[in-house]
Amino acid sequence: MDLVIRGARVVDGSGGPSYRADVAVDGGRIAAVVAEGAGRRPSAARTLDAASLALSPGFVDMHAHSDLALLRDPEHLAKTAQGVTLEVLGQDGLSYAPVDDRTLGEVRRTIAGWNGGGPGDSSVDFDWRTVGGYLDRLDGAFGGRGTAVNAAYLVPQGSVRMLAVGWDDRPAAPGELERMRRLVAEGLEQGAVGMSSGLTYTPGMYADDAELTELCRVVARHGAYYCPHHRSYGAGALTAYREMVELCRSAGCALHLAHATMNFPENEGRAPELLALLDRALADGADITLDTYPYTPGATTLAAMLPSWASEGGPDATLARLADPAAADRIRRDLEVTGSDGCHGVPIDWETIEISGVSSPGLASYVGRSVAASARAAGEEPWATALRLLTGDRLAPTILQHVGHEENVRRIMRHRVHTGGSDGILHGSKPHPRAYGTFPRYLGHYVRELGVLSLEECVAHLTGRAAARLRLADRGLVREGFRADLVLFDPDTVAAGATFDAPTTPPEGIPYVLVDGRFVVADGRRTDILAGRSVRRGADGLAR
């Protein structure tokens, strides 16, 4: 054997009771799991004494925004230090494949606030155009060594619509819809595990339910799943959740609800209504899962708050409207009085909008302060501050939006179909701490400190349950024959180091992380190992 992890408390990802065991690793796979007193103890070239540690499958980040970070940062400490061994990319309907030369530029500008990669950023060579090409690029990263962790991909519906329809707010023509069907099918056949949407982001939000249902039928035929950021997390949240449930049931498609939160004052205390809606659908045979992050604030771009009509035509058209006083005042009214669809139908409270990152160095002083606070300091209205940020940074500013409710967070994470997702934006000088702290925060704060979940139940949410949704053939459990994507952590000390004031601080209590049987973290330090690869859905519907 290559390695024996001796005497660990095995929390195997199934949700069953933990137990003491020796776990042997050989050739990148779990070769033996010998419970304490159950037989001859395995031996190996290397033995790691883990009597004080828990051993679990590697954590699966079901909602990640590391699409470019994996290609530019071999250490990728944001995730490796947390024990994440697999990330699901292509989220919220916007990512970098499939594209053509035109839409690649549009996508790069649109989500520069999420990932960098905007005009002038040469840190990544965008030498692919297809889903398969992007997955190949991950496998060939850093001279063919691979990436820090494994990655699966969702076909982004907004990028698909950009290719077939453009940025127009209108129904797709029959030929355009057929092209979208083909693009989604091709992405799935090239290895994507499902399809995502961002239904408060343009241009994906311009799709009506009939169009989305047709695309979900393609997803269903391939045994994949649909992952929508649905149309509202605010004033119309329950209606939006119900829409997604009914749409997927009509299409016969599995549904995974992205960052399934209940935010804004309108939804305080209403998580039980969401869970009752899901329970009814599950009892009727629907295939539904969801993910959440263990924090109350959300994170996105400032431009995402704009009403959808203001973004029709793409980034240049948006900037032109912001430069036109009459159009800009109409945008302000929609934001502050009516409640724009970009802000989930709720009039914006500038006190809750904290700038977390900008691309222009000249705007760095705004980072870490709310728009309202910066406006007071300048003696101006908040919209004037927001307008300066949007135009001066070419729509790139990222924000934290402080609109969540702790009791809703706790109730949803207890649900039996819940999984963990960081929704971590790694770009910007002061990102949301969830990018660096989601998984240890679950284990430390919500398990050890609050007892919201048991350790075994929580690990199952973060590993085995996520693996089942992805239909991973050989990951997500500590089982003989499974890939040795493993985490060793101390249940008594594991904690998120990241805070809102210091959001990139590494976690505590996670000394060892293995990807494919190789230590990417050892003795609490990042090694130089790059063992991550693309995880692709096969013709049998299973991902490997």
Side-chain angles (χ1 to χ4, degrees), residues 149-222:
V149 301
N150 299 305
Y153 190 76
L154 299 166
V155 180
Q157 171 259 331
S159 299
V160 166
R161 198 173 210 270
M162 209 181 295
L163 271 170
V165 181
W167 291 83
D168 296 342
D169 182 2
R170 61 172 176 81
E176 294 167 337
L177 181 56
E178 180 56 33
R179 187 181 180 198
M180 285 191 281
R181 288 195 198 98
R182 288 199 308 270
L183 287 166
V184 171
E186 288 167 2
L188 295 168
E189 288 159 6
Q190 291 166 14
V193 296
M195 181 181 76
S196 75
S197 282
L199 300 179
T200 65
Y201 299 130
T202 53
M205 70 188 303
Y206 299 144
D208 60 21
D209 283 2
E211 179 179 315
L212 294 171
T213 299
E214 286 301 306
L215 299 183
C216 282
R217 289 191 173 114
V218 176
V219 174
R221 284 198 296 272
H222 286 80

Side-chain angles (χ1 to χ4, degrees), residues 374-458:
S374 291
R376 283 193 294 271
E380 62 188 11
E381 293 298 312
W383 171 240
T385 302
L387 186 60
R388 183 181 305 109
L389 284 160
L390 287 163
T391 57
D393 210 31
R394 307 286 294 176
L395 308 180
T398 51
I399 63 169
L400 305 184
Q401 192 171 18
H402 296 269
V403 292
H405 305 285
E406 178 65 19
E407 183 56 31
N408 285 348
V409 170
R410 295 187 193 185
R411 282 183 176 271
I412 293 169
M413 74 168 63
R414 293 188 189 108
H415 197 273
R416 66 188 185 280
V417 300
H418 169 265
T419 66
S422 71
D423 195 11
I425 295 173
L426 303 176
H427 184 64
S429 58
K430 198 177 180 186
H432 196 304
R434 67 194 186 190
Y436 289 77
T438 285
F439 295 87
R441 180 169 169 84
Y442 268 119
L443 297 168
H445 186 58
Y446 286 98
V447 171
R448 185 181 64 249
E449 295 175 3
L450 299 180
V452 173
L453 297 165
S454 71
L455 181 63
E456 291 84 355
E457 186 180 8
C458 183

Side-chain angles (χ1 to χ4, degrees), residues 10-11 29 92 111 123 128 144 150 172 216 252 366 386 452 489 509 528:
V10 175
V11 189
R29 293 188 177 271
D92 295 328
I111 54 175
S123 62
W128 67 85
N150 299 305
C216 282
Y366 291 92
V452 173
F489 63 92
D528 62 357

